[in-house]
Amino acid sequence: MSEIKIPPLDEAMGEQVTKYLDTLTKPPGSLGRLEELVIELGKMTGEAFPQVTKPGVIVFAADHGITAEGVSAFPKEVTEQMVRNFLNGGAAINVFSRAIDAEFAIVDIGIDSDIEAEGLTSKKVRRGTGNFYREEAMTREEAIQALKVGYEEGEKMLAKGVKCFILGEMGIGNTTPSSAITAVLSGQDMEKLVGFGTGLVSESVLHKQKVITEAIHNRQPNAEDPIDLLSKIGGLEIAGMAGAMLAAASHRVPILVDGFIATVSALIANMIAEGASNYMFVGHQSVEPGHKAAAELLGKKPLVDLGMRLGEGTGAAVAFPILQAATLALKEMATFADAGVSSN
């Protein structure tokens, strides 16, 4: 993945968009963050009137061996069951993807079972990760393969003409590797990073914190090496999302990052190719405590806080209309001159 090049932001276009915003029929800056967003979109895309439609949603699904340590409220079989729900169009991300008219794809990058069904892209790197409390999650080669799968799936989505990426995941137990990676990168105490996941009780949260702390000690991941982080304490879908993000950023396509797990993927992507984060917005603030630390590491302020913690890409999909509104305001509002309105 070292050959991936991230283009610099178009600062001149950002200045052009800024000046044009001030000619529109509104007090300067009165659209607040919407103006900031569309300026950033101008820099990202290099376009005077950037577009984010049609969005593309890719959900990567994989299992986690660490679930054997009792860190999740649900058994790992739920990963397969939820993927079948995605394929039937019944999950929250299906609903929200339809609402924003998104291209939709789901990728089996490491489910610990075989699913043969129309609509599923099978790119299984391995049948779930190893239990990183007792062994490495995967080999370096497998981590790189998962990144490449994500990159290739991103390229496929780009070929459909999408203008904004939303990456989602399904993997029971995946807040555990996400918490572990965030702990290694942030140096924060585990108590500040580990929450209730999809439904743990207080005693189970303490157990999860203990498992992650000991697993990090056992694996000794290198905080400077994203491939080492993925291979020792990571997840296949975390790698897949990172790869897709790199595909988008390398083509100047904006990325609307979802919650905790997706933000950890974003951190990995930016470690692999510096500057990838320039093409990212964080869609929402997850309830998961580790997400605040991950978003701060990424240097991003989430667009909304709705108390969500579902994953799948749902928070980003719900936030997408905000980006769309920013682009439409720029494109469709009248200028003072056109409307015959005094600007003084």
Side-chain angles (χ1 to χ4, degrees), residues 199-218:
L200 293 175
V201 296
S202 296
E203 305 81 54
S204 299
V205 172
L206 294 174
H207 170 70
K208 183 176 177 179
Q209 292 170 352
K210 180 174 180 290
V211 166
I212 297 172
T213 300
E214 293 179 2
I216 292 171
H217 175 76
N218 294 343

Side-chain angles (χ1 to χ4, degrees), residues 140 184-185 221-229 271-272:
R140 287 184 68 89
V184 172
L185 292 178
N222 181 355
E224 305 296 323
D225 182 351
I227 307 302
D228 195 62
L229 285 167
M271 290 177 73
I272 292 170

Side-chain angles (χ1 to χ4, degrees), residues 89-271:
I93 189 57
N94 298 107
V95 175
F96 299 152
S97 294
R98 289 192 294 266
I100 61 174
D101 192 27
E103 289 284 345
F104 184 84
I106 180 163
V107 181
D108 172 6
I109 197 168
I111 304 170
D112 190 17
S113 59
D114 295 315
I115 304 175
E116 294 184 8
E118 185 178 352
L120 178 67
T121 300
S122 183
K123 291 292 182 71
K124 200 188 303 286
V125 173
R126 56 179 283 169
R127 298 175 71 94
T129 54
N131 178 355
F132 70 83
Y133 183 75
R134 304 180 186 278
E135 60 181 333
E136 293 189 357
M138 63 189 98
T139 65
R140 287 184 68 89
E141 292 72 23
E142 288 167 339
I144 293 169
Q145 184 184 348
L147 285 162
K148 288 182 176 178
V149 166
Y151 192 91
E152 290 165 2
E153 293 305 311
E155 291 278 351
K156 285 184 189 176
M157 191 61 80
L158 287 167
K160 296 180 180 179
V162 303
K163 301 295 185 182
C164 180
F165 266 39
I166 294 171
L167 289 312
E169 36 61 43
M170 183 61 228
I172 294 301
N174 61 13
T175 57
T176 299
S178 298
S179 297
I181 291 171
T182 304
V184 172
L185 292 178
S186 70
Q188 291 193 24
D189 294 339
M190 199 62 64
E191 292 76 16
K192 296 180 179 179
L193 301 176
V194 177
F196 291 88
T198 49
L200 293 175
V201 296
S202 296
E203 305 81 54
S204 299
V205 172
L206 294 174
H207 170 70
K208 183 176 177 179
Q209 292 170 352
K210 180 174 180 290
V211 166
I212 297 172
T213 300
E214 293 179 2
I216 292 171
H217 175 76
N218 294 343
R219 302 281 76 80
Q220 293 294 307
N222 181 355
E224 305 296 323
D225 182 351
I227 307 302
D228 195 62
L229 285 167
L230 287 171
S231 63
K232 288 181 177 177
I233 59 172
L236 294 159
E237 78 276 47
I238 293 171
M241 287 192 294
M245 290 175 186
L246 289 170
S250 66
H251 290 278
R252 307 186 71 101
V253 171
I255 304 152
L256 191 51
V257 181
D258 190 41
F260 185 28
I261 294 94
T263 304
V264 170
S265 291
L267 289 170
I268 293 292
N270 197 57
M271 290 177 73

